[in-house]
Amino acid sequence: MLNSDAPLLSGDALRQRFLEIDTFLLAQQSIWREKPFTQLRLHWEADFPELAVWLRARSLADAEASHSVPTALPAPQPFTDWARQAEQLSSVGVFPHAALRARPARMQNGIALRKWQQIEAFAGAVQGGERQYFASAQQWLDWCAGKGHLGRYLAWPTAQLECLEFNSELVSSGQAISQKYLSQAVHTLCDVMSSASAAPLQRSDAVVALHACGDLHTHLLRQVCVQQTPALALVPCCYNRIQAEFYQPLSAAGHASALQLDRDDLALPLTATVTATLRERRLRDQSMAWRLAFDLGQRKWRAIDEYLPTPSLSAQWFNKPFEQWCLDLAALKHLVPLPKQNWLELEAQGWQRLAQVRNLELVRALFRRPLELWLVLDQALFLQEQGFSVAVGEFCATELTPRNLLLLAWRD
Ligand SMILES: C[S@@+](CC[C@H](N)C(=O)[O-])C[C@H]1O[C@@H](n2cnc3c(N)ncnc32)[C@H](O)[C@@H]1O
């Protein structure tokens, strides 16, 4: 779904929207910080019993149906008020797309359709509208490039391309592909976090990063300023992949905010699963239901009414019957021997709790997009402070990728 009516965010609107979202997130943090998966009862349920009862009565299928658009759920107040505010605060425009010259059809070989469509949309957005700067770039740099599909698309047919990537297999296969389409392409084995990324940033006239995680994109933002790169197009991803315990704001407004975001908070925008397959969803549901059942069990077995973190488990674990899975997990957590159990009943309780958890999580889900926009606006404001012109908007529909916020920055 694309929000085509709203304007792109730029100029003073960046700061204004950031402050509005900041106020909203701070005011409601006792709501969105609560995690139904680890807490049997949420504190806000006592304040809003009608909403809690309504959500707890819904089925797993109901929750699934509302997952992508929680703001549309006709739940009792104050849900609808929060939803309306979240929707208003998250509304951003869509970048106009340039009609680009068609690329050779075989360029798409070996690229998943969804990734190819993301690349087409990214390239169209970067070179559309008034942004002649990007349209005339002659030296593209692809940051955390993978095989460099995006950079290659942009540089084709005659511009120069440099790709930075630290997986040597991706570097060599990317180089082999680029040779077929570009006369001047270099795929460099490089840890972008090291000083080796400085020179490529200095010589490029436009750097692009599609789905660069946490520290990889915040480091890029700082480095384009230090190395005086003229233009940047960034689609951030995995905000929680950071070394620090908390998000380190970049802009003055971010520093002034009282909002402290730990890695768990930073994972909230990533909980939208619009691109998961049916099989992936089934496995996710089974894993969650069994873990919730285990949680109910361990509270009794340990006689401690507290969530006990469990490690991530490979898909093979879930081929076992529930009873064996529980016993193996209990052994991992040094809880064996266990008292006699009605395993069927415990598993059923896990599934029942899953339906409640997934419905209660719809409250948190309202805050996914405002939180994500807060992060991207902090980054946009930082670039603005450093003298860039900046625009923030969507570059493709969420169905193509839920990480569809694009930050464009260029020096006038
Ligand atoms: C999510 S993928 C995105 C790849 C590509 N931009 C795309 O959209 O298809 C992130 C890429 O960053 C690379 N990467 C991770 N850490 C890196 C680092 N420190 N330096 C360079 N590349 C890194 C990974 O190997 C991976 O190819």
Side-chain angles (χ1 to χ4, degrees):
M1 205 184 305
L2 279 170
N3 190 349
S4 51
D5 294 339
L8 295 172
L9 293 176
S10 60
D12 293 341
L14 293 167
R15 188 161 181 279
Q16 193 185 329
R17 181 67 69 87
F18 177 86
L19 295 176
E20 286 166 1
I21 299 179
D22 194 56
T23 305
F24 178 60
L25 291 176
L26 280 167
Q28 308 302 349
Q29 56 181 329
S30 62
I31 309 297
W32 58 263
R33 286 190 194 273
E34 295 229 65
K35 301 195 187 81
F37 194 82
T38 56
Q39 292 165 248
L40 292 182
R41 285 272 152 200
L42 305 172
H43 292 104
W44 63 254
E45 291 190 71
D47 298 329
F48 309 111
E50 198 193 340
L51 174 60
V53 169
W54 191 89
L55 287 168
R56 281 183 180 274
R58 284 164 41 99
S59 70
L60 185 55
D62 290 338
E64 188 63 41
S66 309
H67 176 84
S68 309
V69 200
T71 47
L73 191 68
Q77 288 287 27
F79 188 96
T80 333
D81 279 351
W82 295 331
R84 190 179 33 79
Q85 286 182 68
E87 212 164 30
Q88 273 168 8
L89 293 172
S90 318
S91 121
V92 285
V94 181
F95 281 99
H97 281 57
L100 300 179
R101 210 173 129 191
R103 274 32 182 181
R106 64 202 161 87
M107 215 180 202
Q108 199 182 331
N109 288 352
I111 307 176
L113 179 61
R114 197 190 290 277
K115 177 55 73 180
W116 180 254
Q117 290 170 335
Q118 289 171 18
I119 288 170
E120 283 181 322
F122 186 111
V126 163
Q127 302 192 338
E130 305 297 306
R131 290 167 298 285
Q132 290 311 313
Y133 191 89
F134 286 92
S136 58
Q138 282 309 308
Q139 172 74 56
W140 292 92
L141 177 66
D142 193 340
W143 182 265
C144 297
K147 292 183 186 173
H149 298 309
L150 174 68
R152 191 176 311 114
Y153 190 103
L154 287 160
W156 185 85
T158 52
Q160 297 179 30
L161 170 66
E162 184 160 11
C163 293
L164 303 184
E165 168 58 55
F166 82 162
N167 176 324
S168 58
E169 280 175 29
L170 297 178
V171 170
S172 48
S173 50
Q175 184 74 58
I177 305 171
S178 284
Q179 267 156 15
K180 297 182 196 165
Y181 300 99
L182 298 173
S183 57
Q184 301 179 75
V186 195
H187 290 245
T188 309
L189 184 64
C190 170
D191 176 357
V192 295
M193 302 300 286
S194 73
S195 57
S197 62
L201 281 169
Q202 285 163 12
R203 58 181 170 254
S204 101
D205 50 21
V207 54
V208 292
L210 173 57
H211 294 160
C213 303
D215 284 338
L216 301 175
H217 69 250
T218 51
H219 185 66
L220 170 62
L221 290 159
R222 292 194 179 91
Q223 283 299 305
V224 290
C225 300
V226 176
Q227 308 305 339
Q228 299 281 308
T229 314
L232 159 76
L234 165 67
V235 174
C237 190
C238 301
Y239 305 94
N240 58 336
R241 296 222 183 148
I242 57 170
Q243 290 293 324
E245 201 181 332
F246 293 97
Y247 178 73
Q248 309 292 313
L250 291 144
S251 67
H255 280 289
S257 166
L259 201 61
Q260 273 228 329
L261 300 170
D262 65 16
R263 286 190 219 121
D264 265 359
D265 301 329
L266 295 171
L268 178 59
L270 314 173
T271 53
T273 53
V274 293
T275 54
T277 62
L278 192 62
R279 200 174 155 274
E280 286 164 343
R281 280 174 208 203
R282 283 216 181 108
L283 187 62
R284 177 206 60 196
D285 284 351
Q286 186 188 345
S287 154
M288 283 176 79
W290 284 15
R291 283 171 193 278
L292 288 167
F294 183 84
D295 181 53
L296 291 173
Q298 67 79 18
R299 285 173 196 253
K300 276 190 282 164
W301 306 327
R302 291 195 306 147
I304 302 176
D305 192 13
E306 255 172 33
Y307 178 75
L308 177 70
T310 48
S312 64
L313 303 168
S314 69
Q316 274 91 327
W317 266 73
F318 295 91
N319 294 332
K320 309 174 188 187
F322 173 68
E323 176 180 346
Q324 192 58 49
W325 179 89
C326 255
L327 290 170
D328 290 350
L329 187 54
L332 260 186
K333 300 299 292 185
H334 310 291
L335 299 180
V336 282
L338 298 183
K340 205 167 151 32
Q341 286 301 308
N342 181 339
W343 295 105
L344 271 181
E345 189 181 75
L346 186 61
E347 186 184 359
Q349 285 171 348
W351 281 98
Q352 199 178 18
R353 200 173 148 208
L354 177 64
Q356 297 181 354
V357 164
R358 297 286 305 284
N359 278 293
L360 290 167
E361 276 177 345
L362 294 172
V363 173
R364 290 196 87 205
L366 294 177
F367 298 87
R368 283 191 307 232
R369 196 61 162 178
L371 183 55
E372 177 167 26
L373 197 51
W374 186 98
L375 290 165
V376 175
L377 288 176
D378 172 51
Q379 301 172 0
L381 286 169
F382 168 70
L383 292 176
Q384 202 178 45
E385 285 162 13
Q386 303 293 320
F388 282 92
S389 294
V390 183
V392 170
E394 294 180 358
F395 76 101
C396 69
T398 40
E399 290 80 359
L400 212 50
T401 168
R403 300 283 72 72
N404 67 344
L405 288 177
L406 171 65
L407 191 169
L408 284 190
W410 63 96
R411 294 183 192 276
D412 286 322

